[in-house]
Amino acid sequence: MSETYKNSGVNIEAGDQTVERIKSLAKSTFNKNVLSGIGLFGAFYEIDTEKYKKPVLVSSVDGVGTKLKLAFMTGKHDTIGQDLVNHCVNDIAVCGAEPLYFMDYMAFGKLVPDTAEAIISGFAKACTENGCALIGGETAEMPGFYAVDEYDISGTIVGVVEKDKVINGEKVQKGDILLGLRSTGLHTNGYSLARKVLFPKYSHDTRFDSLKGTLGEELLAVHKSYLPEIRIMKEYSGLRGLSHITGGGIIGNTKRILKGDLSLKIDWDSWELPEIFRIIQNAGNIAPDEMRMVFNTGIGLIAVAAKEEAQIIADAVKSATGESPVFMGEVA
């Protein structure tokens, strides 16, 4: 019997079927700036030169990490794509950028069109919510490299900001106030430690009186996009800097926008540690400093604001979104 590509574990027909399924999902995110459909060798996006005088492109690439293990464990694949898009959106939004388009990469041990479609539906949902286009991507089937029932995903986002509106922390100074916006859970960081301490003791369908859903559902809570809040805060000259809290925690990420000998004075008691983090901490007897270095501990984004405008900015965010920023410290 002659060997075939399919016998080696790669199903081209499944790939073609997946592409056909996702075309409509991707096209639902298109706008007038998208000049090509899905299927060409490259994707085309026209920059609005009337809107921007000196446009600066801002890009970021990321993955979801071992949060994917929760998707495998629970069989729920439609939120992982939202996590990835929102994470990438936050990374460029804190630089002052508006998202333009997103591109994905998915690699499977065995390509299952239903799973791929669920993931893409998450990409499309988040792209629509954030006002960016899902204009292309790549799907690979890699038998022997990934387990049959596992996959990996990553994404690249491109946004734009007017050159004189770039936010890079240059204006941050001593006495500025730290305004924290709450997270929806772990977001996309700390899952290796969380899984290590939790799953020898519990299963993904374990219920706690202090949680609304199962442990798995809580851990799969979608990474929040802070684009609506950032759009509001950018309107104020008192906004000095923005920090997306990912791996490295509050201090590790916010230090990236501090210059010279500036440091952070954080009041760790100014907000309540969400219950999911308490469960993780107790399960592994994890020291507070370790928790703060690995996890966002309930704060997903920090705005650095001039002292005289901090309350005004906080009130504007609350009025528009219902979110009440936490006054959590200052720049020292």
Side-chain angles (χ1 to χ4, degrees):
M1 182 181 74
S2 62
E3 289 293 347
T4 65
Y5 209 12
K6 190 172 184 178
N7 289 341
S8 72
V10 180
N11 189 338
I12 294 178
E13 292 179 357
D16 292 340
Q17 181 185 346
T18 299
V19 171
E20 287 304 313
R21 286 196 189 191
I22 66 178
K23 277 184 177 180
S24 62
L25 289 171
K27 286 181 178 178
S28 70
T29 71
F30 286 6
N31 54 43
K32 63 182 178 62
N33 302 97
V34 179
L35 304 183
S36 62
I38 300 296
L40 296 178
F41 291 97
F44 300 85
Y45 192 95
E46 184 177 16
I47 295 177
D48 187 347
T49 53
E50 293 184 2
K51 185 177 180 180
Y52 297 94
K53 295 179 181 178
K54 291 185 177 181
V56 174
L57 295 180
V58 184
S59 57
S60 182
V61 61
D62 219 313
V64 179
T66 62
K67 187 173 186 176
L68 290 174
K69 289 287 189 179
L70 271 297
F72 308 153
M73 192 182 299
T74 61
K76 183 174 175 58
H77 306 284
D78 60 338
T79 58
I80 290 295
Q82 295 176 65
D83 287 318
L84 184 53
V85 172
N86 289 343
H87 184 128
C88 289
V89 166
N90 290 338
D91 277 350
I92 64 169
V94 297
C95 301
E98 286 289 325
L100 296 177
Y101 61 84
F102 180 84
M103 303 185 76
D104 68 86
Y105 172 77
M106 303 186 297
F108 296 82
K110 180 180 180 181
L111 179 56
V112 179
D114 285 346
T115 302
E117 185 178 13
I119 298 168
I120 294 291
S121 72
F123 290 149
K125 184 177 190 298
C127 281
T128 299
E129 291 173 348
N130 287 288
C132 63
L134 175 62
I135 62 172
E138 168 68 6
T139 301
E141 193 168 26
M142 301 169 65
F145 194 86
Y146 294 102
V148 171
D149 57 351
E150 295 192 352
Y151 57 82
D152 195 13
I153 62 174
S154 66
T156 298
I157 195 165
V158 174
V160 63
V161 59
E162 193 69 65
K163 190 173 183 179
D164 63 2
K165 299 293 185 181
V166 169
I167 301 172
N168 57 14
E170 289 286 349
K171 297 178 181 179
V172 174
Q173 55 189 268
K174 179 182 177 182
D176 286 347
I177 302 299
L178 305 177
L179 299 175
L181 297 182
R182 291 175 176 81
S183 68
T184 51
L186 278 65
H187 284 180
T188 48
N189 291 98
Y191 282 85
S192 295
L193 178 56
R195 289 186 302 107
K196 181 178 181 180
V197 301
L198 289 173
F199 292 119
K201 299 182 178 182
Y202 311 110
S203 68
H204 69 85
D205 56 4
T206 298
R207 290 186 176 273
F208 294 82
D209 291 340
S210 55
L211 299 179
K212 293 180 180 179
T214 65
L215 181 59
E217 289 169 344
E218 191 75 20
L219 292 171
L220 278 174
V222 174
H223 191 137
K224 177 179 170 62
S225 167
Y226 294 98
L227 185 59
E229 290 87 350
I230 291 173
R231 282 172 172 162
I232 293 165
M233 294 188 288
K234 285 193 302 184
E235 296 299 314
Y236 294 87
S237 60
L239 180 67
R240 298 267 175 80
L242 292 164
S243 170
H244 183 204
I245 311 306
T246 56
I250 289 170
I251 293 177
N253 285 284
T254 310
K255 281 172 62 178
R256 295 161 68 176
I257 61 170
L258 300 184
K259 308 299 179 183
D261 61 353
L262 295 177
S263 61
L264 300 170
K265 183 179 179 182
I266 297 172
D267 178 2
W268 296 101
D269 296 321
S270 59
W271 75 98
E272 187 174 353
L273 186 70
E275 190 61 27
I276 184 61
F277 294 107
R278 293 188 188 279
I279 292 171
I280 293 168
Q281 185 172 19
N282 292 337
N285 192 28
I286 304 170
D289 284 349
E290 183 73 10
M291 289 290 296
R292 293 166 183 168
M293 182 176 67
V294 176
F295 302 104
N296 65 56
T297 61
I299 299 294
L301 183 125
I302 291 177
V304 183
K307 194 169 188 177
E308 61 273 14
E309 278 199 55
Q311 188 64 60
I312 296 172
I313 292 173
D315 290 344
V317 170
K318 183 177 181 180
S319 176
T321 69
E323 297 286 341
S324 298
V326 176
F327 283 71
M328 53 181 292
E330 63 182 33
V331 177

